[in-house]
Amino acid sequence: MHETAGNHAFFLFTELFFGAPALIAIGLYIGAVLVTNRRKNLRNWPLFRTIFFVAGVFSAASALVGPLSRQSHVDFTSHMVGHLLLGMLAPLLIAIAAPMTLLLRTLNVHTARKLSRILRSQPIRFFSHPIVASILNIGGLWLLYTTNLFTAMHENLLLHVIVHIHVFIAGYLFTISLVYIDPVFHRFSFPFRTSVFILALAGHGILSKFIYAYPPEGVPIEQARIGAMFMYYGGDAVDLLLIFILFRHWYQSVRPRKNIAVRTAA
């Protein structure tokens, strides 16, 4: 879709639809930080988490608002850069920002308990299951790039919005199902999460090679190959950060037990 007077309204709507919530999210997060930092019984919220949240929201917004968003309609390489920002980097940065922990600290006790009950519910358990989250994330990408869905979303405004919302939410669910930074009420073992992660990595890598060989409908072969390489190597870069966090948590979970065992033996 080329940017003309006929589709100017398309871009204007999507930029307002995605841009306004992004600004509101940043405002709410910073507002919650200011509120919780005033409470004397709580330690100040770490500055690095606020920075990660703002960076994560800007990462997602850059894929949906502005030049990259408009260019992604006519250039598959730009589209794939946007995919990495929206579906992989932004979810990871926002997960590190621990927004649910901040929300629980900000709410009063009664409301926080209600939220905790929601987080313990079966629907949350289902969608935060590593296998389900992986299918939504990687399976959704296979559906997008191996069917005519990719072409259709550039022609249909509602489909365009739904696909991009799905990409972000699926990426976020996938991230928080693997690394536990916010409170988790349905936990899975490190070996299980690592196994699922390896399969998901394989699915993402194979898809990028498939796109390299078989471009989505309407995508020139050269753009498809460059975009596929962005997907493959860019995805690996983000996944390395995810692997580092996952294995750091795993190491921290077993290290105290070893120390206790050594002291007991001595």
Side-chain angles (χ1 to χ4, degrees), residues 87-137:
M88 298 188 72
L89 184 59
L92 177 59
L93 294 175
I94 293 175
I96 295 173
M100 191 56 64
T101 301
L102 177 62
L103 180 59
L104 289 169
R105 282 166 54 111
T106 307
L107 297 173
N108 60 52
V109 174
H110 180 69
T111 308
R113 285 175 177 170
K114 286 185 176 179
L115 178 58
S116 296
R117 284 197 290 273
I118 294 174
L119 295 175
R120 291 189 179 92
S121 65
Q122 287 303 314
I124 296 296
R125 178 186 179 86
F126 176 78
F127 286 107
S128 63
H129 192 289
I131 292 178
V132 174
S134 298
I135 292 173
L136 289 173
N137 189 28

Side-chain angles (χ1 to χ4, degrees), residues 75-258:
D75 180 71
F76 186 73
T77 305
S78 299
H79 164 82
M80 194 52 70
V81 173
H83 155 71
L84 293 173
L85 292 172
L86 177 66
M88 298 188 72
L89 184 59
L92 177 59
L93 294 175
I94 293 175
I96 295 173
M100 191 56 64
T101 301
L102 177 62
L103 180 59
L104 289 169
R105 282 166 54 111
T106 307
L107 297 173
N108 60 52
V109 174
H110 180 69
T111 308
R113 285 175 177 170
K114 286 185 176 179
L115 178 58
S116 296
R117 284 197 290 273
I118 294 174
L119 295 175
R120 291 189 179 92
S121 65
Q122 287 303 314
I124 296 296
R125 178 186 179 86
F126 176 78
F127 286 107
S128 63
H129 192 289
I131 292 178
V132 174
S134 298
I135 292 173
L136 289 173
N137 189 28
I138 307 301
L141 294 178
W142 273 91
L143 183 66
L144 176 62
Y145 295 121
T146 61
T147 69
N148 61 358
L149 179 60
F150 178 76
T151 302
M153 81 166 185
H154 288 97
E155 303 295 337
N156 185 289
L157 176 60
L158 179 61
L159 200 56
H160 176 87
V161 170
I162 292 174
V163 167
H164 282 85
I165 291 175
H166 172 86
V167 168
F168 174 75
I169 292 179
Y172 186 72
L173 285 173
F174 176 72
T175 302
I176 64 173
S177 73
L178 295 176
V179 293
Y180 296 159
I181 297 174
D182 270 325
V184 177
F185 298 98
H186 311 288
R187 305 182 76 88
F188 295 89
S189 69
F190 283 104
F192 179 77
R193 281 182 279 155
T194 301
S195 300
V196 175
F197 189 26
I198 291 172
L199 293 175
L201 284 176
H204 193 267
I206 293 171
L207 177 58
S208 64
K209 293 179 180 178
F210 184 89
I211 293 173
Y212 188 92
Y214 304 100
E217 182 181 339
V219 176
I221 184 69
E222 291 305 319
Q223 287 186 22
R225 289 180 173 176
I226 297 174
M229 287 191 286
F230 264 110
M231 183 179 184
Y232 188 84
Y233 294 109
D236 280 353
V238 178
D239 286 335
L240 279 176
L241 297 175
L242 202 55
I243 291 170
F244 172 78
I245 297 172
L246 176 63
F247 280 78
R248 182 171 179 268
H249 288 176
W250 195 343
Y251 173 74
Q252 290 174 335
S253 72
V254 298
R255 184 178 55 179
R257 297 174 188 173
K258 289 183 178 179

